[in-house]
Amino acid sequence: MNPLMSVALMGQGGAVLGYLLLHWNNVRDREICIPSFLSTLFGISEPAIFGVNLRHKFPLIAGCLASAVSGAYVYLTHLTALGFGTTALSGLAIANPADNGYVNYIVAHLIALGPGILFTVLIGRFSKSEKEKKAQEKKLKEIPAVKAEPNVVYSPVKGRAAFIAECSDPVFNQKSMGDGMVFMPEEELIVSPVSGPVMMVFPTKHALGIRTEEGTELLIHMGLNTVSLEGRPFELYVGEGDTVKAGQKIARMDLKAIEGEGLSTETPVVITSMQPVTVQNTGTVNWGDSVMTITQKD
């Protein structure tokens, strides 16, 4: 049983590497995938499974397929262990040395690792979700670079911009949380409207707060009443403590999933430090268009 468990773990490690190859240019994915894979080498599978594979689904399937291939090799070579518990690199210490056991142990894990990478890359290339993600990333590359100016807020979406009074949620349209604007996105990508550190990220991923370089505190609320969705339609590319630039990709929101739950995709951006704003641009906007200026308190 122990060698079978070990190669199952290594198959999931290979799937993490396959996902990493598909998203090497994504810094945040690299930061998650590399330590997740390294932990599998010492028998710890939770970061790989829950941090990457189960989250994106298709790597988990690819890892299981790779484990099946390697498991067949374990069975055919009669690979066993002298004890139970340690796996992966540390499991070599309890591999049964009879009948080239050490060699078969290493080969079995390489078999799990290689197909884990290969199956993940192949399934990923034909996965609908991956194709959509690549299409969104391609659109992001079309976003013009934003030369941020002090106290200027830029559009976080491609879609339509309106006065905050037009928001359908009274908490926002009555400026209970501060002045600002509301956006109706047509694309799923969300970019930062300002430059500065990310001060707060809700556990449900639907909202985050940023403090501008001038000290203004700003809230981006993706959708209305979307806290009830427990983060399912959202993917964040930044975390608390990260410093972002205006126009930088910070999140993705699944518009169809939100609308399918009967909720609005309206995205208010409000100044929670309560400074007044001057709206510069309403109607159709692109990512990074300047939309309002913040009046600093004396």
Side-chain angles (χ1 to χ4, degrees):
M1 289 295 293
N2 204 67
L4 288 172
M5 292 175 59
S6 188
V7 297
L9 178 147
M10 194 53 59
Q12 296 302 321
V16 170
L17 285 183
Y19 187 82
L20 177 61
L21 288 177
L22 289 171
H23 299 278
W24 181 257
N25 292 329
N26 189 310
V27 175
R28 193 144 188 89
D29 282 338
R30 290 206 304 268
E31 291 175 348
I32 295 172
C33 289
I34 292 174
S36 295
F37 169 72
L38 292 176
S39 70
T40 64
L41 296 179
F42 299 95
I44 303 170
S45 61
E46 287 80 3
I49 293 175
F50 296 104
V52 181
N53 297 350
L54 189 60
R55 178 184 173 193
H56 301 290
K57 299 182 177 62
F58 74 88
L60 183 72
I61 297 170
C64 290
L65 292 174
S67 302
V69 175
S70 186
Y73 181 84
V74 170
Y75 174 77
L76 292 173
T77 58
H78 307 288
L79 180 60
T80 59
L82 299 174
F84 186 81
T86 58
T87 54
L89 289 178
S90 53
L92 189 62
I94 59 171
N96 191 341
D99 299 322
N100 295 318
Y102 291 143
V103 174
N104 288 331
Y105 186 90
I106 294 171
V107 171
H109 285 73
L110 290 176
I111 290 175
L113 190 64
I117 297 171
L118 179 62
F119 291 158
T120 303
V121 171
L122 290 177
I123 295 173
R125 294 208 180 274
F126 294 100
S127 168
K128 182 180 178 182
S129 62
E130 282 297 293
K131 288 180 179 178
E132 290 175 348
K133 190 172 183 178
K134 291 292 185 183
Q136 293 292 341
E137 290 176 352
K138 183 178 179 181
K139 288 178 180 177
L140 185 66
K141 292 179 181 178
E142 300 171 359
I143 300 173
V146 175
K147 294 183 179 180
E149 297 181 10
N151 299 314
V152 176
V153 179
Y154 300 87
S155 174
V157 309
K158 180 178 181 180
R160 189 170 69 85
F163 292 96
I164 194 66
E166 296 182 38
C167 182
S168 57
D169 189 325
V171 172
F172 292 107
N173 65 32
Q174 295 177 15
K175 302 183 181 180
S176 301
M177 297 186 67
D179 204 352
M181 294 182 70
V182 63
F183 300 86
M184 280 60 73
E186 296 175 355
E187 302 284 353
E188 297 185 342
L189 287 171
I190 306 295
V191 304
S192 179
V194 294
S195 298
V198 178
M199 303 304 298
M200 173 273 298
V201 175
F202 276 71
T204 46
K205 304 179 184 178
H206 73 290
L208 63 157
I210 302 174
R211 178 180 294 158
T212 71
E213 294 174 342
E214 295 74 44
T216 300
E217 295 178 359
L218 174 147
L219 176 73
I220 306 162
H221 196 287
M222 294 177 283
L224 301 180
N225 300 313
T226 46
V227 63
S228 62
L229 302 181
E230 299 180 341
R232 292 189 298 275
F234 306 104
E235 183 176 5
L236 297 181
Y237 304 113
V238 297
E240 286 187 18
D242 290 349
T243 299
V244 297
K245 296 293 185 182
Q248 177 182 332
K249 177 176 70 172
I250 57 173
R252 172 182 171 270
M253 59 187 297
D254 190 332
L255 303 179
K256 291 182 180 178
I258 294 171
E259 292 170 347
E261 295 288 340
L263 300 176
S264 172
T265 59
E266 292 174 53
T267 299
V269 174
V270 297
I271 310 303
T272 53
S273 47
M274 308 307 286
Q275 289 101 315
V277 303
T278 301
V279 173
Q280 298 174 320
N281 192 5
T282 59
T284 301
V285 292
N286 196 3
W287 295 289
D289 287 351
S290 60
V291 289
M292 58 180 166
T293 55
I294 303 166
T295 302
Q296 290 294 335
K297 298 177 180 178
D298 296 331

